[in-house]
Amino acid sequence: ELARAHNASPFMVAHAASAALLNVLGAGTDVPLGTVVSGRPDQALTDVVGFFVNSVVLRTDTSGNPAFGELLERVRSADLAAFDHQDVPFDLLVEELQPARSLSRHPLFQVALTWEEDAPALRLADLETEAVLPEDSAKFDLSLAFRDDELLLTYAHDLFERVSAEELGDRLLRLLDQVVADPESRLSGLAVLSAAETAEALDRGRGPVTVSPASSVVGVLRERVAGCPEAVALEWDGGELSYGELLARAESVASGLLAGGVGREQVVPVLMERSVDAVVALLGVLLAGGAYLPVHTAYPKARVEALLERIDAPVVLVDDRWADYGRRVDDVAGAGSQAPHEWPVVLPDQLAYVMFTSGSTGEPKGIGVSHQNVLDLVREPSWGVDADARVLFQAPHAFDGSVYELWLPLLVGARIVVAPPGDWAPAVLHQHKVTHLSVTAGLFRVLAEEAPQALSGLVEVTTGGDVVPAAAVRRVLETCPELVVRTTYGPTEATLCVTGQPWTTDDEPAGQVPLGRPFDNTTLLALDEALRPVPPGVVGELYLAGAGLARGYLGRSDLTASRFVANPCSSGERMYRTGDLVRWTRTGDLLFVGRADAQVKIRGFRVELGEIEAVLAAVDGIAQAAVFLREDQPGEKRIVGYLIPEDGALLDADEIRAELAARLPDYMVPAALLALEAFPLTPNGKVDQKALPAPDYTATSTHRAPRNAQEEILCALFAEILDVPSVGIDDSFFDLGGHSLLATRLTNRIRAALDVQLPVRKVFTSPTVA
């Protein structure tokens, strides 16, 4: 009846429904299905004996969220046009289009569709006949055969489990029921999951529900100090500071800030190297009722100045190196005449800090996090940090890893070990008897490959910020069997992380490391484009809801509204759109698949490639710019820029990189720049990333030979670490594609080969073998 109402055939209804299902399950909006035709369009072939069957591709456009009736009209037109050309041999079509070939996959389409009418019984003299279904291997990944009263699915065993095939069949029939009842239903309104499946999908990502009392970082810390004022809060090379002393020093800074005009939620930039004074400064800002904004001291001055100008704060806290940009902590502390009669009341939902991350428009964006957000993170029961813990403070405090390193130990009464400014050596772990360490996934991989024994003696290592290699986890656990490796996941917008997964020698990751189990009062939602939960195995975009969600972006209500959206699965609740593509396994693990946008992770930092493109396109002489993250060597991600010069312009890659380095952090400066006459394009007009040439980091090598045995060893180590054929003694480590993590690996190799303790910063100040 539905087919007749749209002047279509039942086959076309089956085709439209199958395409709609695949679209809902993540196949995109350009869905090619295949079908089989008799191959006898010419009347002259009617009585010719032979096998003339041909395959026809039915390309289906499901874009624009059409009503099913509209989709059926598109399918009708596409099918009639395809059948008009059914005599074109399929092999000829494949030869003409030259798709990427695979021995295991059928070209041009992988899902086949047939509609079979009941054939009259075959009558032969003195013979009985019956229809027999072939029981050989599947011809396609998936075949859907509609018969008079049944739907037959044939599937490839290496791609589908039986339960998956049965679920596909159930969902297709469920979809058909809906479109027959209401042909004007839009694709986004079709429910392919049953009520039970939907409930299960939502429950899968819910963490335990616990009570988290409303409070503030300031309130909890004061309680902690009252209970253990003599306990050591901070330890460093050459000294210790008790909880009582820390609070007293921070209150002096807070008094000076209040006298300087800092009030409730006033953002106070902190431009300081890692130190005890930096911890005092951050706490002092919170005590005054303000919100601290840590500014990375490795930023180029132009970026620092742009951030400070954007904030326009009454006070900027600095150390001696940055004295020209604000007021030193000691000076601010001395400016406060005395403690106020009554300290400002700090509320749970009050802003605690603002952290800036890369922005796609060319400007960084500031993320505002509340006191309650921090407490929700600290109170997560799975951390395993207690009053006896010694947590290393080594992350730049402009990086949200510092939230774990500072507030978690301070609010549970543990001890912070403050690593020296700049790069820290693994020796500090044993020297200060560190028990808990948090490092980025990139640094964890370097430690696992180069010096896993440095982690012996620790109780737990936490790592995240990017995909953590399973091999690195296994290597660390093999070397340090008593250790717990905890992998985490979460963006800055969710107060560092929302999941955790502990790994021990009894439970090592076999394949891809999952994102981990949700924290208390946190929900992970894998949703499709219509914000419907996706079933296991289907890729969806990850949304986060519940505890830890940041307030939004500082001064960017438009951006906040686009990323922090209403949760359709829970009335009155917000959720954060991460942009990460994920899928659930049937065992309840959540796996990272990729990104829905151009955002990337590089050396633990989140980078919007659009920001680099915007800065690059502003350079004189560049007509167009495109920036991509390449991984030409497994595990080594590098940002590469591609340029089209203006007519007649002569571009110097070194000069351009120097100009970028004056405006962007070092981890955002492309490792290589390549000039092209034009960008290769895909059929839909986008830059074809796969067709872009790989950079040759040795193109400008001097190849000046080593002058002695020591330089010969160093040249070999440079070449090994950078994965290049050879290195001259005047070649810069960074011009050849090096970066901070590779520099750490280089110093480890130098120590092993030459027995020299070389600080990582030496590679930055002296980046050539010579």
Side-chain angles (χ1 to χ4, degrees):
E1 291 297 331
L2 177 60
R4 188 177 295 115
H6 288 80
N7 197 25
S9 68
F11 171 84
M12 294 172 182
V13 175
H15 173 189
S18 302
L21 177 69
L22 294 173
N23 167 258
V24 170
L25 295 182
T29 58
D30 185 2
V31 183
L33 299 174
T35 195
V36 175
V37 293
S38 66
R40 298 173 182 265
D42 193 323
Q43 194 69 25
L45 297 174
T46 301
D47 297 324
V48 177
V49 176
F51 189 72
F52 291 91
V53 168
N54 190 27
S55 295
V56 175
V57 184
L58 308 174
R59 190 172 180 181
T60 319
D61 176 15
T62 63
S63 63
N65 189 28
F68 185 81
E70 179 186 346
L71 176 63
L72 183 53
E73 296 293 338
R74 296 182 191 178
V75 164
R76 179 181 180 278
S77 299
D79 286 0
L80 292 176
F83 292 138
D84 279 346
H85 300 87
Q86 61 177 288
D87 56 333
V88 177
F90 183 76
D91 290 345
L92 179 62
L93 189 64
V94 173
E95 182 181 341
E96 180 71 22
L97 295 178
Q98 295 186 342
R101 301 305 294 265
S102 169
L103 294 177
S104 62
R105 306 206 69 189
H106 195 272
L108 301 184
F109 69 89
Q110 287 78 48
V111 180
L113 177 68
T114 58
W115 181 277
E116 300 178 14
E117 301 284 359
D118 277 350
L122 183 62
R123 298 187 180 279
L124 299 173
D126 302 322
L127 291 174
E128 294 181 1
T129 64
E130 65 175 316
V132 178
L133 292 177
E135 295 184 357
D136 54 0
S137 60
K139 300 295 191 298
F140 309 98
D141 292 0
L142 181 69
S143 296
L144 305 173
F146 286 83
R147 293 189 168 164
D148 188 37
D149 59 353
E150 64 182 1
L151 169 62
L152 179 68
L153 276 74
T154 309
Y155 59 92
H157 280 244
D158 58 340
L159 296 176
F160 293 91
E161 299 172 352
R162 181 181 180 89
V163 64
S164 301
E166 290 175 345
E167 287 173 345
L168 280 171
D170 290 340
R171 289 165 188 159
L172 181 52
L173 297 177
R174 189 176 297 119
L175 186 149
L176 278 165
D177 283 341
Q178 293 173 72
V179 298
V180 166
D182 183 9
E184 295 311 306
S185 297
R186 296 197 172 273
L187 300 194
S188 61
L190 298 175
V192 299
L193 302 186
S194 67
E197 286 178 314
T198 301
E200 182 183 353
L202 295 176
D203 288 341
R204 191 177 290 113
R206 284 198 181 100
V209 177
T210 58
V211 177
S212 182
S215 185
S216 68
V217 173
V218 170
V220 174
L221 185 66
R222 287 192 182 280
E223 292 174 3
R224 187 63 59 192
V225 174
C228 56
E230 303 302 323
V232 176
L234 279 77
E235 172 187 324
W236 67 96
D237 286 342
E240 293 179 345
L241 201 65
S242 72
Y243 271 84
E245 291 167 334
L246 171 63
L247 180 60
R249 287 186 56 181
E251 285 182 339
S252 296
V253 173
S255 297
L257 292 173
L258 289 168
V262 174
R264 182 185 297 275
E265 296 204 347
Q266 174 67 59
V267 178
V268 178
V270 178
L271 184 55
M272 304 174 67
E273 297 284 355
R274 180 174 55 245
S275 64
V276 174
D277 280 349
V279 180
V280 170
L282 300 181
L283 181 54
V285 173
L286 297 184
L287 289 168
Y292 65 84
L293 165 59
V295 182
H296 206 314
T297 55
Y299 282 172
K301 287 188 175 181
R303 192 178 183 90
V304 170
E305 291 166 355
L307 282 178
L308 297 182
E309 182 179 351
R310 184 169 164 185
I311 296 301
D312 191 25
V315 180
V316 177
L317 296 177
V318 299
D319 53 21
D320 291 339
R321 178 188 167 196
W322 298 89
D324 293 341
Y325 288 85
R327 300 173 62 189
R328 296 172 62 253
V329 171
D330 289 344
D331 295 337
V332 171
S337 56
Q338 59 183 4
H341 176 67
E342 189 173 322
W343 288 102
V345 176
V346 180
L347 302 176
D349 62 351
Q350 200 166 313
L351 204 60
Y353 66 79
V354 175
M355 285 190 180
F356 274 85
T357 65
S358 177
S360 59
T361 61
E363 286 189 0
K365 53 183 185 288
I367 301 162
V369 174
S370 72
H371 283 255
Q372 189 64 49
N373 292 153
V374 176
L375 292 180
D376 287 338
L377 177 75
V378 169
R379 288 168 175 163
E380 166 56 35
S382 65
W383 282 124
V385 176
D386 56 23
D388 296 326
R390 292 167 173 256
V391 182
L392 184 66
F393 172 32
Q394 57 83 28
H397 34 290
F399 178 53
D400 59 357
S402 63
V403 178
Y404 169 96
E405 298 175 344
L406 293 176
W407 303 122
L408 181 57
L410 282 180
L411 297 183
V412 302
R415 180 181 303 206
I416 297 175
V417 175
V418 182
D423 301 299
W424 59 281
V428 73
L429 300 174
H430 292 163
Q431 179 184 346
H432 289 276
K433 300 178 181 178
V434 171
T435 61
H436 289 73
L437 172 67
S438 175
V439 292
T440 63
L443 182 54
F444 178 79
R445 181 166 60 86
V446 171
L447 289 171
E449 293 175 359
E450 304 295 333
Q453 66 281 356
L455 304 176
S456 62
L458 274 70
V459 174
E460 183 170 293
V461 174
T462 297
T463 184
D466 203 346
V467 176
V468 180
V473 176
R474 291 193 295 269
R475 179 168 170 77
V476 167
L477 292 175
E478 289 169 3
T479 308
C480 310
E482 303 302 318
L483 188 66
V484 174
V485 175
R486 182 182 301 278
T487 55
T488 62
Y489 164 82
T492 306
E493 288 86 346
T495 316
L496 178 61
C497 56
V498 292
T499 71
Q501 187 82 32
W503 302 99
T504 66
T505 51
D506 296 329
D507 183 26
E508 296 181 356
Q512 180 182 346
V513 175
L515 296 186
R517 306 295 178 176
F519 283 171
D520 284 11
N521 306 310
T522 300
T523 302
L524 315 180
L525 298 163
L527 306 178
D528 64 14
E529 291 184 351
L531 300 184
R532 296 168 298 198
V534 296
V538 174
V539 174
E541 185 171 352
L542 181 59
Y543 291 76
L544 308 177
L549 249 61
R551 294 227 318 232
Y553 299 105
L554 193 68
R556 292 292 307 275
S557 57
D558 57 335
L559 186 59
T560 300
S562 68
R563 304 301 295 188
F564 293 85
V565 297
N567 183 356
C569 306
S570 179
S571 177
E573 186 179 48
R574 292 188 312 155
M575 61 181 185
Y576 171 68
R577 180 182 183 183
T578 68
D580 287 332
L581 300 178
V582 296
R583 63 180 176 87
W584 289 103
T585 67
R586 291 194 179 276
T587 57
D589 288 327
L590 189 63
L591 302 180
F592 176 78
V593 176
R595 285 291 301 178
D597 54 24
Q599 189 185 104
V600 300
K601 280 291 187 73
I602 185 80
R603 284 135 65 187
F605 294 96
R606 192 171 70 186
V607 173
E608 298 273 7
L609 297 178
E611 180 176 358
I612 306 174
E613 288 183 354
V615 175
L616 197 53
V619 175
D620 290 341
I622 296 178
Q624 296 182 59
V627 178
F628 296 97
L629 187 70
R630 296 188 65 105
E631 194 172 353
D632 297 303
Q633 180 185 356
E636 295 300 338
K637 298 177 182 179
R638 293 185 174 100
I639 296 174
V640 178
Y642 295 89
L643 318 172
I644 297 179
E646 293 178 350
D647 291 341
L650 298 176
L651 301 179
D652 186 300
D654 292 336
E655 291 181 2
I656 296 173
R657 291 184 77 245
E659 189 169 342
L660 296 181
R663 299 182 58 187
L664 296 171
D666 66 321
Y667 58 84
M668 292 178 65
V669 177
L673 296 171
L674 282 75
L676 306 175
E677 293 183 0
F679 292 138
L681 301 178
T682 62
N684 59 4
K686 295 183 179 180
V687 177
D688 188 353
Q689 186 176 351
K690 294 181 180 178
L692 291 169
D696 180 7
Y697 296 103
T698 63
T700 58
S701 175
T702 63
H703 290 299
R704 192 156 72 97
R707 297 164 296 189
N708 52 49
Q710 192 175 59
E711 288 187 343
E712 187 174 341
I713 293 172
L714 288 175
C715 282
L717 292 176
F718 270 52
E720 178 188 351
I721 295 297
L722 296 168
D723 192 32
V724 296
S726 62
V727 173
I729 63 172
D730 299 314
D731 294 337
S732 168
F733 181 80
F734 300 101
D735 288 345
L736 294 176
H739 51 70
S740 57
L741 290 180
L742 289 180
T744 301
R745 182 176 296 174
L746 176 65
T747 57
N748 287 328
R749 296 289 176 87
I750 291 173
R751 182 179 66 250
L754 297 173
D755 195 25
V756 174
Q757 291 286 350
L758 193 69
V760 176
R761 60 182 175 274
K762 201 68 177 177
V763 183
F764 287 85
T765 58
S766 305
T768 69
V769 167

